[in-house]
């Protein structure tokens, strides 16, 4: 029996590339370059499965390719707002993602950003490396504690809950949240968290706001100028979700005007471009989309894709089918 032809759009962990190569007729992206729209279309024409990730823009125009051979987009990552799901369905493509396995790594990174921005860790490191540190003094780079503060979560799914657990049980934070569906004790377990009706209600109460909703669609610019103005001036905004959830230009204005204490960002509207206004601000911590970047998680994400592909080509429903 001939093996399905599959294409990985980026380099993946070695162990997963080996597993895929043993099971499928696998083409690797050996130089790891981001694929252009034309290359993605060629992939859709020539392979049975395309294995994209967040750096691939699979919008309606790319997916409108004539006579595609591909039948599945097995995405490497939990977020899939880079794929136009309606257009994928119209092209007869099944779409899968990799939920669950990156929850802890992403939650850890959200806490990293909270601590870094509140304790001014980025500022301190830049100062020290530049040879500008003049020694210990009582008023030097004084920050804010997490303990006793209120964390506001927007989007209380797996990652939002994991962040809330760490913040509450590890740092003694109070948690309020907004979520589309109502969550009760069955979902929240040992977490003492108050669900509020509107995003604005959370913004008004929180000392730290952490975003954990999907990107794209109605969530584009969910945090716009008006919602930034609804935050407390001493509050910090943390984004490990998707860049387009925040209006980056409005965030820069709010920070420049001192209407917000700071921000910790892992994701950006036009990755890998970062708004120059953000780069110029001291009270912003900027990481290059590292949420899931641990060895354990990146391998687990890949193995999740393997499970989805094997199920699909055996004629079963893939465990992580989203379309
Ligand atoms: C995810 O899995 O959504 C990560 O952000 C990488 O795409």
């Amino acid at each position: 029996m001939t093996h399905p032809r599959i294409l990985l759009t980026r380099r993946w962990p070695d162990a997963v590339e080996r597993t895929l190569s043993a099971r499928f007729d696998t083409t690797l992206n050996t130089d790891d370059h981001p694929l252009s729209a034309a290359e993605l279309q060629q992939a859709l024409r020539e392979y049975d499965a395309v294995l994209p990730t967040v750096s691939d823009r699979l919008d309606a125009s790319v997916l409108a390719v004539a006579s595609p051979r591909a039948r599945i987009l097995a995405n490497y990552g939990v977020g899939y707002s880079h794929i136009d799901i309606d257009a994928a369905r119209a092209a007869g493509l099944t779409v899968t993602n990799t939920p669950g396995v990156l929850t802890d790594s992403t939650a850890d990174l959200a806490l990293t950003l909270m601590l870094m921005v509140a304790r001014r860790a980025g500022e301190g490191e830049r100062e020290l490396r530049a040879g500008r540190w003049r020694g210990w003094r009582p008023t030097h780079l004084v920050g804010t504690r997490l303990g006793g503060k209120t964390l506001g979560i927007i989007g209380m799914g797996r990652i939002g809950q994991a962040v809330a657990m760490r913040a509450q049980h590890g740092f003694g934070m109070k948690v309020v949240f907004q979520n589309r569906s109502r969550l009760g004790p069955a979902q929240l377990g040992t977490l003492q968290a108050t669900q509020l009706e509107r995003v604005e209600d959370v913004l008004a109460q929180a000392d730290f706001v952490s975003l954990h909703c999907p990107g794209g669609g109605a969530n584009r610019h969910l945090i716009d100028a008006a919602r930034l103005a609804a935050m407390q001036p001493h509050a910090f905004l943390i984004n490990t979700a998707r860049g387009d959830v925040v209006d980056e230009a409005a965030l820069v204005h709010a920070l420049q005007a001192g209407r917000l204490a700071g921000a910790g960002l892992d994701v950006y509207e036009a990755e890998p471009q970062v708004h120059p206004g953000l780069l110029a601000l001291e009270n912003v911590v900027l990481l290059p989309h590292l949420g899931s970047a641990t060895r354990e998680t990146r391998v687990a994400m890949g193995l999740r894709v393997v499970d989805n592909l094997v199920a699909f080509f055996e004629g079963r429903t893939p465990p992580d089918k989203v379309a």
Side-chain angles (χ1 to χ4, degrees), residues 166-298:
R166 283 157 172 72
Q168 184 156 91
H169 296 306
F171 292 92
M173 297 183 83
K174 183 179 160 199
V175 176
V176 296
F177 69 95
Q178 186 273 342
N179 192 62
R180 268 183 315 176
S181 57
R182 189 138 283 279
L183 301 184
Q187 291 83 29
L188 297 175
T190 61
L191 197 56
Q192 298 291 316
T194 307
Q195 182 159 9
L196 303 175
E197 200 55 39
R198 301 174 314 143
V199 171
E200 285 76 7
D201 301 331
V202 171
L203 301 180
Q205 290 190 26
D207 303 303
F208 292 80
V209 173
S210 195
L211 305 175
H212 299 290
C213 50
N219 285 348
R220 183 172 182 276
H221 289 185
L222 180 81
I223 305 298
D224 57 8
R227 287 200 164 125
L228 288 165
M231 288 177 67
Q232 308 194 73
H234 67 262
F236 298 94
L237 179 70
I238 308 298
N239 190 7
T240 54
R242 279 292 180 265
D244 69 350
V245 177
V246 177
D247 179 341
E248 238 165 53
L251 176 62
V252 169
H253 283 138
L255 288 162
Q256 284 170 341
R259 282 188 270 107
L260 215 57
L265 308 175
D266 189 43
V267 286
Y268 306 89
E269 279 199 76
E271 295 181 14
Q273 261 90 53
V274 176
H275 193 296
L278 291 172
L279 296 170
L281 288 162
E282 280 294 343
N283 55 343
V284 178
V285 176
L286 302 169
L287 297 181
H289 204 146
L290 295 178
S292 62
T294 61
R295 268 192 296 280
E296 298 86 345
T297 293
R298 289 286 164 87

Side-chain angles (χ1 to χ4, degrees), residues 32-116:
D32 201 24
H33 70 284
L35 298 196
S36 65
E39 286 173 304
L40 286 169
Q41 289 197 315
Q42 191 181 348
L44 292 166
R45 277 193 297 267
E46 293 181 0
Y47 292 87
D48 299 300
V50 177
L51 281 50
T53 192
V54 65
S55 59
D56 301 305
R57 179 131 226 92
L58 287 152
D59 58 19
S61 66
V62 169
L63 291 166
V65 61
S67 2
R69 170 171 173 160
R71 291 190 295 128
I72 178 168
L73 298 174
N75 187 56
Y76 183 88
V78 65
Y80 51 87
S81 57
H82 52 286
I83 302 172
D84 183 321
I85 291 293
D86 291 337
R89 271 201 203 97
L93 288 157
T94 292
V95 182
T96 59
N97 70 341
T98 62
V101 290
L102 38 68
T103 303
D104 287 322
S105 289
T106 307
D108 291 347
L109 199 87
L111 266 295
T112 303
L113 286 172
M114 285 168 64
L115 285 164
M116 284 185 74

